[in-house]
Amino acid sequence: MLILLQKIGYIILVLGVNLYIVSFLNNKIVSRAELRRGYKGHKRGGLVFPFSNSLKYIAKGVPFSIWDIFIFVFSIIIWAFVPISFNLYIIDSEHNLFFALVLYIMLIIFRVFSASYSKYNFIVSGFLKRTAQTLSLMIPLLFSVLSIIILNKSLDFKIIVNSQYQVWNVVYQPIGFTVFFISILLQIKLMNLSEHNQFLITDNINKEGEGISKLTSRFSNYLIIFFLISLLNILYLGGWQKLFMINGNIMIAIKFYVIFVIVALLERSISGISSINKLINLNYKLLLPLSVVNLAVTIVFFILRNVYSII
Amino acid sequence: MIRIFKNFFINFGNLFRKPRTVLYPREKIIVYEGSRGQPRLKLNFDTLEIICNGCRKCEKACPQNCISIKKEFKDGDYNLEEFNINLGLCSFCGNCVEACSTHAIELSYRYQMSEYDLEALKAEKLDLIKQAEYLIREFWIK
């Protein structure tokens, strides 16, 4: 019991520290990409600014729905299944990947409910479009994950990571990796990481009112982004496997931040994709066929290796 | 696709470039050459007298009517008695500089003129002469 509480404490601590670093880093990246300073010219480089920014939301009395609480709680519960490092997880199951994905899809559906609580119709319609798009982006992602499951013959994160001790899965599944990466990039774009006003984001639920509702939705958005990046890290990039002499825990952190910086910069770079229709085209004309081809090739290799023992 | 990569590398390069934002009281912008700031009356370096003869062409050319000139007849010639510019009204259009036939007025680079009192923005002849240091673009570095 004590170990469990200790683990929960560690996970919350790691998530909290990550939230702080990532929100600071994101602000800096977004502003420096525009040749601004970010967090203005605050004393000590604006290091305290993420805290004061969150306090600003708490101070405002805006009513929020029960779904916001659900989203927040579920975005934390998801970390019970996803291991942050090789022993930092709570539920040790053989089907962790399955549970994590189910929880993620539930989170997206909760966001629909949260939007429907709004009294403004334009927010609901726009938000539903975006959420439906996020769900449709899940299809190529799930196909890619299926390929990984077939490759590693397991739904357990630990087995998937341990099977990458020599070669990372990205070498075996370059197309799957590309599809997965583009899919999570577009999902993160729909979550409005850079808070950049574009066509997709103009009818945003976050515009409705600033308060604790916005704070929780921003927190849960960040946690979902962590989840997606961690998933990419674990499934394709070796997770906590050692690289040369570098410790696994340090390695997973380095990979996480490198991916985050690339995603944050790319999210700003794909401003050309500014309408839902373009996203739908990209999803159904590029990502979905690619992921299906990847899955088919993986299945063929699986059959050749395991049934006929050719390879 | 190429555009996305191009944008990515531009954004990535921007991370290492100096930000354009200026923290105003601590840092100041070096204004561009030819920027228009507070008007200034020129002196004749030989005689150290004001070049302006009070012909009132600038007064007529001023769209904001912020220039007021007074002349007096002395020793058989007109002399400049008063030359006032209300900088609270001035739009720094430079019409007075263009209208002046003796090239007695020029615009300095001084742009920081905020005051608590509007009366302090009314510049007289002597104030307008004492603007020589503002002819340098980095006038705050002395």
Side-chain angles (χ1 to χ4, degrees):
Chain A
M1 187 67 191
L2 202 64
I3 295 167
L4 186 69
L5 283 175
Q6 203 180 5
K7 273 187 178 178
I8 292 171
Y10 273 131
I11 287 173
I12 290 171
L13 186 75
V14 169
L15 288 181
V17 170
N18 259 349
L19 262 174
Y20 170 76
I21 296 173
V22 163
S23 60
F24 183 81
L25 204 66
N26 182 34
N27 183 287
K28 280 286 176 193
I29 289 170
V30 169
S31 53
R32 290 305 286 272
E34 294 172 353
L35 291 175
R36 292 188 288 109
R37 276 175 200 267
Y39 285 141
K40 298 143 208 156
H42 276 265
K43 283 176 185 171
R44 292 169 287 279
L47 282 173
V48 199
F49 208 81
F51 291 117
S52 57
N53 217 6
S54 53
L55 285 174
K56 183 181 76 183
Y57 293 127
I58 293 169
K60 285 178 185 169
V62 178
F64 63 100
S65 68
I66 188 84
W67 300 111
D68 289 333
I69 302 170
F70 271 129
I71 292 168
F72 185 61
V73 170
F74 268 70
S75 61
I76 293 174
I77 287 176
I78 213 167
W79 291 97
F81 299 99
V82 182
I84 294 173
S85 76
F86 72 97
N87 58 356
L88 212 53
Y89 53 86
I90 295 167
I91 298 167
D92 189 12
S93 161
E94 287 180 358
H95 309 290
N96 271 350
L97 180 55
F98 173 74
F99 290 133
L101 287 171
V102 168
L103 274 173
Y104 178 55
I105 293 168
M106 276 170 75
L107 265 173
I108 298 169
I109 295 164
F110 282 151
R111 282 158 71 88
V112 180
F113 291 142
S114 166
S116 62
Y117 190 81
S118 161
K119 58 185 172 185
Y120 303 113
N121 282 326
F122 72 96
I123 285 175
V124 179
S125 61
F127 199 80
L128 280 177
K129 262 188 196 171
R130 284 173 52 201
T131 317
Q133 188 51 45
T134 314
L135 274 175
S136 76
L137 280 168
M138 280 297 289
I139 302 166
L141 188 139
L142 288 176
F143 277 132
S144 318
V145 172
L146 203 59
S147 311
I148 289 288
I149 293 166
I150 291 168
L151 191 72
N152 299 118
K153 296 175 211 162
S154 174
L155 278 165
D156 193 352
F157 282 121
K158 279 189 292 178
I159 294 172
I160 291 172
V161 172
N162 290 337
S163 67
Q164 299 178 56
Y165 74 100
Q166 277 183 328
V167 186
W168 291 353
N169 278 340
V170 65
V171 180
Y172 296 126
Q173 299 270 328
I175 302 169
F177 173 76
T178 316
V179 170
F180 195 97
F181 186 77
I182 295 172
S183 170
I184 68 161
L185 177 68
L186 295 177
Q187 286 178 50
I188 289 171
K189 186 181 169 65
L190 287 167
M191 275 174 213
N192 189 10
L193 178 68
S194 62
E195 291 187 322
H196 199 244
N197 285 327
Q198 287 170 347
F199 177 78
L200 286 173
I201 299 147
T202 45
D203 44 10
N204 191 0
I205 191 167
N206 295 342
K207 273 198 165 184
E208 191 172 350
E210 291 192 343
I212 198 146
S213 157
K214 183 166 180 182
L215 183 71
T216 51
S217 77
R218 197 92 185 114
F219 263 41
S220 46
N221 272 358
Y222 270 124
L223 289 178
I224 291 167
I225 289 165
F226 292 173
F227 165 71
L228 289 172
I229 293 176
S230 296
L231 211 59
L232 179 77
N233 203 344
I234 289 168
L235 294 184
Y236 288 97
L237 298 174
W240 52 83
Q241 288 294 341
K242 270 187 188 176
L243 191 73
F244 306 116
M245 294 300 286
I246 306 168
N247 186 0
N249 291 341
I250 298 169
M251 209 50 225
I252 201 166
I254 291 170
K255 277 184 277 188
F256 178 86
Y257 285 115
V258 168
I259 295 168
F260 180 78
V261 170
I262 291 171
V263 163
L265 283 172
L266 270 175
E267 197 241 350
R268 293 201 54 74
S269 310
I270 51 172
S271 52
I273 305 162
S274 54
S275 71
I276 286 284
N277 290 337
K278 279 187 184 174
L279 270 182
I280 291 168
N281 279 344
L282 187 69
N283 189 23
Y284 288 108
K285 288 183 181 169
L286 179 74
L287 295 185
L288 199 57
L290 271 178
S291 61
V292 169
V293 167
N294 184 48
L295 181 64
V297 170
T298 315
I299 289 170
V300 167
F301 270 89
F302 180 79
I303 292 167
L304 287 176
R305 186 163 44 173
N306 294 297
V307 181
Y308 298 107
S309 306
I310 292 172
I311 301 169
Chain B
M1 197 71 184
I2 294 164
R3 202 177 65 184
I4 290 171
F5 279 109
K6 202 178 159 188
N7 286 347
F8 175 78
F9 285 111
I10 289 171
N11 284 337
F12 186 72
N14 281 350
L15 296 185
F16 304 102
R17 290 194 186 102
K18 201 188 165 196
R20 298 276 167 87
T21 328
V22 175
L23 303 171
Y24 171 62
R26 275 181 266 162
E27 295 172 23
K28 290 187 181 70
I29 301 167
I30 298 174
V31 290
Y32 288 102
E33 206 168 327
S35 310
R36 296 184 296 215
Q38 183 179 343
R40 169 183 175 268
L41 281 179
K42 279 196 218 169
L43 290 179
N44 188 342
F45 286 117
D46 299 331
T47 56
L48 289 177
E49 283 178 358
I50 297 170
I51 301 172
C52 178
N53 57 6
C55 64
R56 292 192 167 178
K57 278 182 187 170
C58 51
E59 198 180 16
K60 285 169 196 163
C62 183
Q64 303 281 3
N65 295 328
C66 61
I67 302 176
S68 62
I69 296 170
K70 267 187 189 176
K71 287 194 290 187
E72 66 168 8
F73 191 74
K74 206 176 182 182
D75 304 331
D77 198 6
Y78 282 103
N79 285 320
L80 187 67
E81 180 68 16
E82 279 184 27
F83 191 105
N84 300 328
I85 298 182
N86 189 348
L87 293 170
L89 291 175
C90 182
S91 61
F92 311 101
C93 62
N95 279 5
C96 48
V97 179
E98 283 178 26
C100 187
S101 54
T102 52
H103 304 292
I105 312 178
E106 64 180 344
L107 295 179
S108 67
Y109 288 114
R110 187 185 181 186
Y111 61 91
Q112 299 156 302
M113 284 176 284
S114 52
E115 295 282 353
Y116 284 109
D117 187 11
L118 272 177
E119 289 298 312
L121 287 171
K122 287 178 182 170
E124 292 176 0
K125 195 167 72 175
L126 276 175
D127 301 325
L128 292 170
I129 295 166
K130 293 178 200 165
Q131 301 292 333
E133 69 256 32
Y134 296 113
L135 290 175
I136 324 162
R137 284 197 287 159
E138 305 98 316
F139 56 80
W140 54 90
I141 308 162
K142 287 177 187 172

